[in-house]
Amino acid sequence: MKSFDPAVFLEDGCGKDMHQFIAELYPICRSITGEGIRETFRSIQRHIPLSIFDVPSGTQVFDWTVPREWNIRDAYVANQQGVRIIDFKQSNLHVVSYSVHVRARMSLRELKEHLFTIPDHPDWIPYRTSYYKESWGFCLTHRQYEDLRDEEYDVVIDSSLTDGHLSYAEYYMPGETSDEVLISCHACHPSLCNDNLSGIAVATYLAKLLQAQSRRYSYRFLFLPVTIGAITWLALNMQNVAKIKHGFVMTGVGDEGAFTYKRTRRGNAEIDAVFAHVLQHFGNSYELTDFIPYGYDERQFGSPGFNLPVGCFMRRANGRYPEYHTSADNLHFVKPASLARSLEVVHSVIGVLESNRRYLNATPYCEPQLGKRGLYRTIGGTVTGLSAEMALLWVLNLSDGTHTLLQVAERAGLPFSTIKLAADALAAQGLLRPAETSPGT
Amino acid sequence: MKSFDPAVFLEDGCGKDMHQFIAELYPICRSITGEGIRETFRSIQRHIPLSIFDVPSGTQVFDWTVPREWNIRDAYVANQQGVRIIDFKQSNLHVVSYSVHVRARMSLRELKEHLFTIPDHPDWIPYRTSYYKESWGFCLTHRQYEDLRDEEYDVVIDSSLTDGHLSYAEYYMPGETSDEVLISCHACHPSLCNDNLSGIAVATYLAKLLQAQSRRYSYRFLFLPVTIGAITWLALNMQNVAKIKHGFVMTGVGDEGAFTYKRTRRGNAEIDAVFAHVLQHFGNSYELTDFIPYGYDERQFGSPGFNLPVGCFMRRANGRYPEYHTSADNLHFVKPASLARSLEVVHSVIGVLESNRRYLNATPYCEPQLGKRGLYRTIGGTVTGLSAEMALLWVLNLSDGTHTLLQVAERAGLPFSTIKLAADALAAQGLLRPAETSPGT
Amino acid sequence: MKSFDPAVFLEDGCGKDMHQFIAELYPICRSITGEGIRETFRSIQRHIPLSIFDVPSGTQVFDWTVPREWNIRDAYVANQQGVRIIDFKQSNLHVVSYSVHVRARMSLRELKEHLFTIPDHPDWIPYRTSYYKESWGFCLTHRQYEDLRDEEYDVVIDSSLTDGHLSYAEYYMPGETSDEVLISCHACHPSLCNDNLSGIAVATYLAKLLQAQSRRYSYRFLFLPVTIGAITWLALNMQNVAKIKHGFVMTGVGDEGAFTYKRTRRGNAEIDAVFAHVLQHFGNSYELTDFIPYGYDERQFGSPGFNLPVGCFMRRANGRYPEYHTSADNLHFVKPASLARSLEVVHSVIGVLESNRRYLNATPYCEPQLGKRGLYRTIGGTVTGLSAEMALLWVLNLSDGTHTLLQVAERAGLPFSTIKLAADALAAQGLLRPAETSPGT
């Protein structure tokens, strides 16, 4: 496992490291099953101690069945001169994921029924799948499509669809309590950088950061094939989901768009308030959107039987940018600086969750005399002036056991970090004590 | 009773039929008691099986007493030449309702104390009543008034005010449950079309439509003299009002103005949400207003001892149009198309009430696999595309027993009909089952 | 005690009387302890029967200790010619409050470390204190400061800081119930008119008005040294604070700025709703602000252990005007008309509190017949027309035991006084009866 120093990492351009990690993962042909996703997990294992779980094809998971495993070695369409004019070796997006084995000669007319392009973006290859209906197809640029001559073509897809396994990966990092924070990324898309490699990279590096610090919560990082992977994980872990106190799905965090946080189904979970607060004070533009039962795996975590407090953190949301699910979602589309800023956001979110306690004012009748304790207009040498004084007064005033520090920060209109410093300073003077020992709302 | 085919009726210009019905009722001289209102009920009986109730004068109903019955045969003011210059036979609005018997000769000065006009609309006759104070008077156009010469006049009001009955009419239509929807119209105004004949017509035709369909709820249609009629009905039916789960007063639905729905006293009743939803998706301009204890009989249904969930459906509200309570509220003022659209609204409202159930997702853990059931992007052949898919996902996600279909529709931002189709399709596949058997909140 | 006729007082220019009272108090050198504040209390005693309490230095009050008593006889800085160039006799603001005894000769450089000015307002003397840190200083205009020559100065502060007492004053006025309304003013600032003499004057005259009327509530007026006075009072009266049902701190009510009402910590107390209603209907511009734990003694009343429903009534808030805490807060800065209008507001607030009851409609089923009781369109000869009729209907409709008259007024969009007249008229007719006998929420 690679050595890692969080302080150096945060000072350095962590964005470059994450971008480099994405570049390593980019060429792999991933799908919801098969060798590609397992190879991806092995790459992540070089950073964090991931456990890989293999679930046999045919396993019943709620209303679904784990599908057969798909693997592919080669695929192409060759013209009469034997020239490969569509070639899987050049881009794994050229083959519709889960295409069945094909070896045939056919006319252009027959072939065209299996071809997919994006006429509006004639240089981009679309990304297509056919997981649950046996079928085959090629994706190509619209320029390639228009150049096809009316002749016979050799069509080869050297793939297999056989009983095997669905694989997912999990990294559980224990903390002081067994209450969990869940962070879930899908890992089944082939050569697409923002959706999904950016989520994988930022989650991996977040895990590295958290390893190096003390933790009130336990953390569970999931890397899953989308939909069926989340369903499988939930089916196999039903007895443990009550431990999940907060969570978020993360993907699409490498582009240069504004941040998007999509609230949990509950809409008023602590994680919703934390993301709203962190994004408000972060300085970048952002959007908060309500839960809808469409998108990524928050759909499954938020199904009515579970109703888990799991939101979704993205930059531009799925389908809201033209590069989405095309070959243009490549290594140029994701930026080191964007990845670094996204990591900062989620690291700040975890920071708030870890510190978001309720306190009791130890001198609840009238204000304590801050002046004689040297607390006025200076807290720990860091925040000074009026904000610091107001933070002290707000923490004292609202520490009645019903307000979390985040609620104090929101009512005071101050950043959580300022309120936290005030609470620490007051606690050090014995003016404040924790109202409870276990986290969670 | 007239034969009636709902399908033909809705395809045909139902507006013309309702306008024709109004034209039949227009000449009758109605008041809160007397032959006029009973003749009106007999006309309605040709469409629906109405029960007529007669309550004797002097009956105590809460804080009120049923008044003596008023009937009128003729009334006029004649000049010295014997010419009837104000003549009840030309318009029943000419006589102040409940005017006592008069046969006298008097000067213009004396007469003028009993004359009422609208100077701002010199060609219109006002509508005036004096139910609870013995008095008499004539209403006339301001032009007529200005033409009066200073001479002696013969004044005749051939009316009687004697012990008799207050009459009201009721049509109870049983449904699967005894929970009731109340629809109430006042029927005591003389030759005024919008206020009140339009309400009578639309209610009558709504009843005809509901007769022809299966009903979860029972329906109670009331045709009442305003205020005293509602008070009398409530006094005589106190033991049954708890059955009323939803209701609305309806009047003034024939003019060309925007729709107005006035919320129940509760403000958050299911009927309030249903009208808001239907009007939002109907396409016409509309206004939702809060309850105030002034207006029509929602005042009585919403008195604090009852606090029934009864709103009020109108086009322009009482007093908000100059023709209100004048001779200009005539057969030209109400339009067939307006009547037809109003009927569509209330029929849609009933449709939502009838179908507004809570469901339980039969596969609440993760999403069911819609694709294998052929449910994706097509529901019953009617709604297709993204809305249909989103409707399926929203119904599944929110069918946790706490959300009605209307609440699902509101959260999804989709019309109730789309959500209903999705629920039906899911229920047909066994993916959804009703959360309860009885209606009501 | 001065004789007083409320009717004459309200008709007359009460503003002039209050301004005259402020002028009497203006020259006194007040501080949080000492003879000045006691002399102030004795002046107030000429208007209302105030009790003065003396608490010994060294008494522990929650986290604080009652300080030693400070008194001052003279103070000056004299130049080499013996001329007093800064002279306490000219303005008591020239000496930093709680300055220790000094008798020394020093260079200009040494002296300057103890001098305070306002460069932006070179003709104003700032107001400075050093209650809890032994120190001394002079305040002067920036022009005086710039005229100082580089020579030796004689510096004299003839003050004493010795064991003595902290004094506060209280006027308790019993009412029908022991439930209390608390009105608190700080009284420790020296020659500053708006902050704090205006509050003292308006509170004193409010007490005179309330003496002359019947009272449902008992009233407690407090005149306190700021912060330590409120803390001391709360420490000595802990067992009685539960009687405080409503309250407000009052200061800064004599300038010409818009009104400010700062809500209680609870934010939804009855006193908050009453101030909001009165200010909305008063006709002057005003601002409602949320509680923050900074400002005047509402900080102590609103500490989490007490959380009393005590707001703060001001015109421009502390620190929001340049004259604040300077010699420019003088007798010209406070205006008779402003004082009079402020008194009107708080008198109206008390009026609403006194009358804000819940009623029960005695005829809750349908409306009572107002016409036969002569109630239509006239109430008590005062309010007539549509507002009066609507007020009757609203009071009847919402008198279900859950709405206070203020809540009826807010929902009806009518002034409390109109609703109150309607309630009185209905009660006189037996149509309404009180829902409870004791006040409070």
Side-chain angles (χ1 to χ4, degrees):
Chain A
M1 202 168 299
K2 296 187 181 180
S3 76
F4 177 72
D5 177 344
V8 171
F9 168 74
L10 281 172
E11 279 173 19
D12 265 352
C14 63
K16 281 183 195 163
D17 291 355
M18 289 187 281
H19 196 273
Q20 174 58 32
F21 185 36
I22 290 172
E24 281 171 46
L25 300 172
Y26 183 59
I28 303 170
C29 180
R30 278 165 292 272
S31 185
I32 55 172
T33 61
E35 272 307 309
I37 196 166
R38 280 191 288 267
E39 186 183 340
T40 301
F41 295 156
R42 286 189 297 266
S43 291
I44 302 173
Q45 277 178 326
R46 287 197 292 274
H47 293 275
I48 51 176
L50 213 55
S51 305
I52 302 175
F53 297 82
D54 296 322
V55 181
S57 300
T59 303
Q60 192 69 21
V61 285
F62 298 126
D63 191 53
W64 301 62
T65 307
V66 171
R68 285 183 290 168
E69 182 174 324
W70 184 70
N71 282 290
I72 183 165
R73 282 153 297 276
D74 195 9
Y76 60 86
V77 173
N79 65 12
Q80 283 178 329
Q81 286 72 42
V83 177
R84 290 182 169 208
I85 53 169
I86 308 173
D87 188 355
F88 171 74
K89 305 272 191 205
Q90 289 186 4
S91 168
N92 54 41
L93 296 177
H94 276 314
V95 178
V96 170
S97 195
Y98 259 68
S99 281
V100 294
H101 192 275
V102 177
R103 183 169 299 270
R105 167 163 288 214
M106 62 186 67
S107 68
L108 178 61
R109 202 177 54 75
E110 284 174 291
L111 176 62
K112 277 189 168 176
E113 288 175 22
H114 296 269
L115 299 184
F116 303 96
T117 72
I118 313 168
D120 285 351
H121 293 283
D123 294 318
W124 297 356
I125 309 165
Y127 164 55
R128 283 264 183 163
T129 68
S130 185
Y131 300 140
Y132 301 102
K133 188 180 155 202
E134 287 206 3
S135 162
W136 64 269
F138 283 88
C139 298
L140 64 165
T141 73
H142 202 64
R143 291 205 204 287
Q144 283 178 300
Y145 181 87
E146 286 181 325
D147 286 347
L148 293 173
R149 283 177 306 190
D150 190 5
E151 59 185 303
E152 294 268 295
Y153 290 92
D154 281 316
V155 177
V156 171
I157 298 181
D158 182 10
S159 69
S160 61
L161 195 52
T162 57
D163 280 349
H165 296 86
L166 175 147
S167 302
Y168 67 80
E170 191 172 328
Y171 174 28
Y172 178 73
M173 202 189 297
E176 288 165 27
T177 70
S178 61
D179 287 335
E180 282 182 27
V181 179
L182 183 81
I183 295 148
S184 178
C185 302
H186 66 276
C188 56
H189 287 20
S191 292
L192 296 169
C193 286
N194 199 39
D195 179 16
N196 49 195
L197 297 177
S198 68
I200 294 170
V202 173
T204 300
Y205 277 73
L206 177 62
K208 288 156 78 103
L209 286 175
L210 297 185
Q211 277 179 329
Q213 68 183 52
S214 71
R215 297 175 298 272
R216 183 162 64 130
Y217 287 106
S218 298
Y219 288 82
R220 191 176 300 275
F221 288 82
L222 298 180
F223 300 92
L224 307 165
V226 78
T227 306
I228 186 67
I231 293 168
T232 300
W233 186 85
L234 283 163
L236 300 180
N237 291 276
M238 270 194 89
Q239 73 291 354
N240 290 322
V241 295
K243 292 179 188 163
I244 299 170
K245 301 306 177 191
H246 320 282
F248 57 92
V249 168
M250 177 161 58
T251 189
V253 289
D255 68 285
E256 293 184 295
F259 293 117
T260 301
Y261 175 73
K262 176 180 166 181
R263 293 186 187 91
T264 67
R265 180 180 186 267
R266 303 179 186 183
N268 61 353
E270 188 175 341
I271 188 74
D272 298 323
V274 173
F275 263 106
H277 182 85
V278 167
L279 289 172
Q280 186 197 337
H281 291 275
F282 198 73
N284 284 33
S285 62
Y286 67 97
E287 191 182 3
L288 303 176
T289 67
D290 279 331
F291 178 82
I292 63 166
Y294 188 78
Y296 293 107
D297 285 332
E298 68 278 5
R299 293 162 69 160
Q300 312 308 331
F301 298 118
S303 56
F306 291 113
N307 195 24
L308 294 173
V310 175
C312 182
F313 179 60
M314 304 168 277
R315 282 171 175 269
R316 276 176 292 182
N318 46 307
R320 293 290 185 83
Y321 48 99
E323 297 85 354
Y324 176 76
H325 280 195
T326 77
S327 60
D329 180 4
N330 58 25
L331 286 166
H332 301 290
F333 186 61
V334 295
K335 306 293 183 189
S338 296
L339 294 162
R341 296 293 275 164
S342 295
L343 177 60
E344 267 188 81
V345 168
V346 291
H347 193 237
S348 297
V349 162
I350 300 298
V352 175
L353 284 175
E354 285 281 325
S355 301
N356 192 28
R357 295 171 185 271
R358 288 179 181 79
Y359 286 89
L360 284 171
N361 183 334
T363 59
Y365 298 108
C366 298
E367 294 171 8
Q369 196 177 353
L370 299 177
K372 72 182 179 191
R373 294 180 176 85
L375 282 170
Y376 251 123
R377 297 193 184 261
T378 170
I379 309 172
T382 311
V383 179
T384 57
L386 192 56
S387 285
E389 185 176 335
M390 289 308 302
L392 291 165
L393 294 172
W394 274 115
V395 170
L396 287 167
N397 191 269
L398 295 180
S399 287
D400 53 10
T402 73
H403 296 85
T404 64
L405 287 188
L406 180 60
Q407 288 168 325
V408 177
E410 286 291 321
R411 186 147 167 196
L414 292 171
F416 184 86
S417 54
T418 303
I419 294 295
K420 176 65 167 53
L421 282 173
D424 289 347
L426 292 165
Q429 292 280 350
L431 292 172
L432 216 61
R433 59 173 197 272
E436 87 272 297
T437 49
S438 70
T441 312
Chain B
M1 203 167 300
K2 297 186 179 179
S3 77
F4 176 73
D5 178 342
V8 170
F9 168 73
L10 280 171
E11 279 174 19
D12 265 352
C14 62
K16 282 183 193 162
D17 292 355
M18 289 188 281
H19 196 271
Q20 174 58 33
F21 184 36
I22 290 172
E24 283 172 45
L25 300 172
Y26 183 59
I28 303 169
C29 180
R30 280 166 292 272
S31 187
I32 55 171
T33 61
E35 270 310 308
I37 197 167
R38 282 190 286 268
E39 187 183 340
T40 302
F41 295 155
R42 287 189 295 268
S43 292
I44 302 172
Q45 278 178 326
R46 288 197 292 277
H47 294 275
I48 52 175
L50 213 55
S51 305
I52 300 174
F53 297 82
D54 296 323
V55 181
S57 300
T59 303
Q60 191 69 21
V61 286
F62 298 125
D63 191 54
W64 301 62
T65 306
V66 171
R68 285 182 291 168
E69 183 173 324
W70 184 70
N71 282 289
I72 182 165
R73 282 153 297 277
D74 196 6
Y76 59 86
V77 174
N79 64 13
Q80 285 179 330
Q81 286 72 44
V83 177
R84 291 182 169 208
I85 54 167
I86 307 173
D87 188 356
F88 171 76
K89 305 271 193 209
Q90 288 185 4
S91 169
N92 54 42
L93 295 177
H94 275 313
V95 178
V96 171
S97 194
Y98 260 67
S99 281
V100 295
H101 193 275
V102 177
R103 183 169 300 269
R105 167 163 290 214
M106 60 185 71
S107 69
L108 177 61
R109 201 178 53 77
E110 285 174 288
L111 176 60
K112 276 190 169 177
E113 287 173 23
H114 297 269
L115 299 184
F116 303 95
T117 72
I118 314 169
D120 284 350
H121 293 284
D123 293 318
W124 298 356
I125 309 164
Y127 163 56
R128 283 263 183 164
T129 69
S130 185
Y131 300 141
Y132 300 103
K133 186 179 157 204
E134 287 207 4
S135 161
W136 64 268
F138 284 89
C139 298
L140 65 165
T141 74
H142 202 66
R143 291 205 203 286
Q144 283 179 300
Y145 181 87
E146 288 182 322
D147 286 347
L148 292 173
R149 283 178 304 191
D150 190 5
E151 59 185 302
E152 294 267 298
Y153 291 92
D154 282 315
V155 177
V156 172
I157 299 181
D158 182 11
S159 69
S160 60
L161 194 54
T162 56
D163 280 348
H165 296 87
L166 175 147
S167 302
Y168 67 81
E170 189 172 330
Y171 174 27
Y172 178 73
M173 202 188 299
E176 289 165 26
T177 69
S178 62
D179 287 336
E180 282 183 27
V181 179
L182 182 82
I183 294 148
S184 177
C185 302
H186 66 275
C188 56
H189 287 20
S191 291
L192 295 168
C193 286
N194 199 39
D195 178 19
N196 52 191
L197 297 177
S198 68
I200 294 170
V202 173
T204 300
Y205 278 73
L206 177 63
K208 288 156 79 104
L209 285 174
L210 297 184
Q211 277 178 329
Q213 67 185 51
S214 71
R215 297 175 298 273
R216 181 162 66 128
Y217 287 105
S218 297
Y219 289 82
R220 192 176 300 273
F221 288 83
L222 298 181
F223 300 91
L224 306 165
V226 78
T227 305
I228 185 66
I231 292 168
T232 301
W233 186 85
L234 282 163
L236 300 180
N237 291 275
M238 268 194 92
Q239 72 293 353
N240 290 322
V241 295
K243 292 180 187 164
I244 299 170
K245 303 303 179 193
H246 320 283
F248 56 94
V249 167
M250 178 161 57
T251 188
V253 289
D255 67 286
E256 293 182 296
F259 293 118
T260 300
Y261 175 72
K262 176 181 166 181
R263 294 186 187 93
T264 68
R265 180 180 185 270
R266 301 178 187 186
N268 62 354
E270 188 175 342
I271 188 75
D272 298 322
V274 172
F275 263 105
H277 182 85
V278 166
L279 289 172
Q280 185 197 339
H281 291 274
F282 198 72
N284 283 34
S285 62
Y286 68 96
E287 191 183 2
L288 303 176
T289 66
D290 279 330
F291 178 83
I292 63 167
Y294 187 78
Y296 294 106
D297 286 331
E298 68 278 5
R299 293 162 66 160
Q300 312 308 330
F301 298 119
S303 56
F306 291 115
N307 194 24
L308 293 173
V310 174
C312 181
F313 179 59
M314 304 168 276
R315 282 172 175 271
R316 275 176 293 182
N318 46 307
R320 294 289 186 84
Y321 47 99
E323 297 85 354
Y324 176 77
H325 280 195
T326 78
S327 60
D329 179 4
N330 60 24
L331 287 166
H332 301 290
F333 186 62
V334 295
K335 307 293 183 189
S338 297
L339 294 161
R341 296 291 277 163
S342 295
L343 179 60
E344 267 187 81
V345 167
V346 291
H347 193 239
S348 297
V349 163
I350 300 296
V352 175
L353 283 175
E354 286 280 325
S355 301
N356 192 28
R357 295 171 185 273
R358 287 180 183 79
Y359 287 88
L360 285 170
N361 183 333
T363 60
Y365 298 107
C366 299
E367 294 171 9
Q369 197 178 355
L370 299 177
K372 72 182 181 191
R373 294 179 176 86
L375 282 171
Y376 251 124
R377 298 191 184 265
T378 172
I379 309 171
T382 311
V383 178
T384 58
L386 191 57
S387 284
E389 186 177 335
M390 287 309 301
L392 291 165
L393 294 173
W394 274 115
V395 170
L396 287 167
N397 190 269
L398 294 180
S399 287
D400 52 11
T402 71
H403 297 85
T404 64
L405 287 189
L406 180 59
Q407 289 168 324
V408 177
E410 286 291 321
R411 184 146 167 196
L414 292 170
F416 184 87
S417 55
T418 303
I419 293 295
K420 177 65 165 54
L421 282 172
D424 289 347
L426 291 166
Q429 292 279 351
L431 292 173
L432 216 61
R433 58 172 200 275
E436 87 274 295
T437 49
S438 70
T441 309
Chain C
M1 203 169 300
K2 297 185 180 180
S3 77
F4 177 73
D5 178 344
V8 170
F9 169 74
L10 281 171
E11 278 174 21
D12 263 351
C14 61
K16 281 184 196 161
D17 292 354
M18 289 187 281
H19 197 273
Q20 174 59 34
F21 185 35
I22 289 172
E24 281 170 46
L25 300 172
Y26 183 59
I28 303 171
C29 181
R30 279 165 292 273
S31 186
I32 54 173
T33 61
E35 270 309 308
I37 197 166
R38 280 190 288 266
E39 185 184 341
T40 302
F41 295 155
R42 287 190 295 267
S43 291
I44 302 172
Q45 277 179 326
R46 287 197 291 276
H47 294 275
I48 53 176
L50 212 54
S51 305
I52 301 175
F53 296 82
D54 296 322
V55 182
S57 300
T59 304
Q60 192 68 20
V61 285
F62 298 126
D63 191 52
W64 301 62
T65 307
V66 171
R68 286 183 289 167
E69 184 174 323
W70 184 71
N71 282 290
I72 182 165
R73 282 156 296 279
D74 194 7
Y76 60 86
V77 173
N79 64 12
Q80 285 178 328
Q81 286 71 42
V83 178
R84 291 184 170 207
I85 54 171
I86 308 173
D87 188 357
F88 171 75
K89 306 271 190 207
Q90 288 186 4
S91 169
N92 53 42
L93 295 177
H94 275 314
V95 177
V96 171
S97 194
Y98 260 66
S99 281
V100 294
H101 193 276
V102 177
R103 182 170 299 271
R105 167 163 288 214
M106 61 185 70
S107 68
L108 178 61
R109 201 177 53 77
E110 284 174 290
L111 176 62
K112 275 190 170 176
E113 286 173 25
H114 296 270
L115 299 184
F116 303 95
T117 72
I118 313 169
D120 285 351
H121 293 284
D123 294 317
W124 298 356
I125 308 165
Y127 164 54
R128 283 263 183 163
T129 68
S130 185
Y131 300 140
Y132 300 104
K133 189 181 154 200
E134 287 207 3
S135 161
W136 64 268
F138 283 89
C139 299
L140 64 164
T141 74
H142 202 64
R143 289 204 206 287
Q144 282 178 298
Y145 180 87
E146 287 181 325
D147 287 346
L148 292 174
R149 283 178 303 191
D150 191 3
E151 59 185 303
E152 293 268 296
Y153 289 93
D154 281 317
V155 177
V156 172
I157 300 181
D158 182 11
S159 68
S160 59
L161 195 53
T162 56
D163 280 347
H165 296 87
L166 176 147
S167 302
Y168 66 80
E170 192 172 327
Y171 175 27
Y172 178 74
M173 203 189 295
E176 289 165 26
T177 69
S178 61
D179 286 336
E180 283 183 26
V181 179
L182 182 81
I183 294 149
S184 177
C185 302
H186 66 275
C188 56
H189 287 22
S191 291
L192 296 169
C193 287
N194 199 39
D195 178 20
N196 50 194
L197 297 177
S198 68
I200 294 170
V202 173
T204 300
Y205 278 72
L206 177 62
K208 288 157 79 104
L209 286 174
L210 297 184
Q211 278 178 329
Q213 68 184 51
S214 71
R215 296 175 298 273
R216 183 163 62 128
Y217 286 105
S218 297
Y219 288 81
R220 191 176 300 274
F221 288 82
L222 297 181
F223 301 91
L224 306 165
V226 78
T227 306
I228 186 67
I231 292 169
T232 300
W233 186 86
L234 283 163
L236 299 180
N237 291 277
M238 269 194 91
Q239 74 292 356
N240 290 322
V241 296
K243 292 180 187 164
I244 299 170
K245 302 305 179 191
H246 321 283
F248 56 93
V249 167
M250 178 160 57
T251 188
V253 290
D255 68 286
E256 293 183 295
F259 293 118
T260 300
Y261 175 72
K262 176 180 168 182
R263 294 186 187 93
T264 67
R265 179 179 185 268
R266 302 178 187 185
N268 62 352
E270 189 174 342
I271 188 74
D272 298 322
V274 173
F275 263 105
H277 182 85
V278 167
L279 289 172
Q280 186 197 339
H281 290 275
F282 197 73
N284 284 34
S285 62
Y286 67 97
E287 190 183 2
L288 303 175
T289 66
D290 279 330
F291 178 81
I292 63 165
Y294 188 80
Y296 293 107
D297 284 332
E298 67 280 5
R299 294 161 67 161
Q300 311 308 331
F301 298 119
S303 57
F306 290 114
N307 195 25
L308 293 173
V310 174
C312 180
F313 179 59
M314 304 167 276
R315 282 171 176 271
R316 276 176 292 182
N318 46 308
R320 293 292 187 82
Y321 47 98
E323 296 85 355
Y324 176 76
H325 280 195
T326 77
S327 59
D329 180 4
N330 58 25
L331 286 166
H332 300 291
F333 186 62
V334 295
K335 307 292 183 189
S338 296
L339 293 161
R341 296 293 275 164
S342 295
L343 178 60
E344 266 187 84
V345 168
V346 292
H347 194 238
S348 296
V349 162
I350 300 297
V352 175
L353 283 175
E354 285 280 324
S355 300
N356 192 28
R357 295 170 185 274
R358 287 180 182 78
Y359 286 90
L360 284 171
N361 183 332
T363 59
Y365 298 106
C366 298
E367 293 170 10
Q369 197 177 354
L370 299 178
K372 73 182 179 192
R373 295 180 174 85
L375 282 171
Y376 251 122
R377 297 190 186 264
T378 170
I379 308 172
T382 312
V383 179
T384 56
L386 191 55
S387 284
E389 185 176 336
M390 288 308 302
L392 291 165
L393 295 172
W394 274 116
V395 170
L396 287 166
N397 191 269
L398 295 181
S399 287
D400 53 10
T402 72
H403 297 84
T404 63
L405 287 189
L406 180 60
Q407 289 168 325
V408 176
E410 286 291 320
R411 185 147 167 193
L414 292 171
F416 184 86
S417 55
T418 304
I419 293 295
K420 176 65 167 56
L421 282 172
D424 289 348
L426 291 166
Q429 292 280 350
L431 292 173
L432 215 60
R433 59 172 200 275
E436 87 274 294
T437 49
S438 69
T441 310

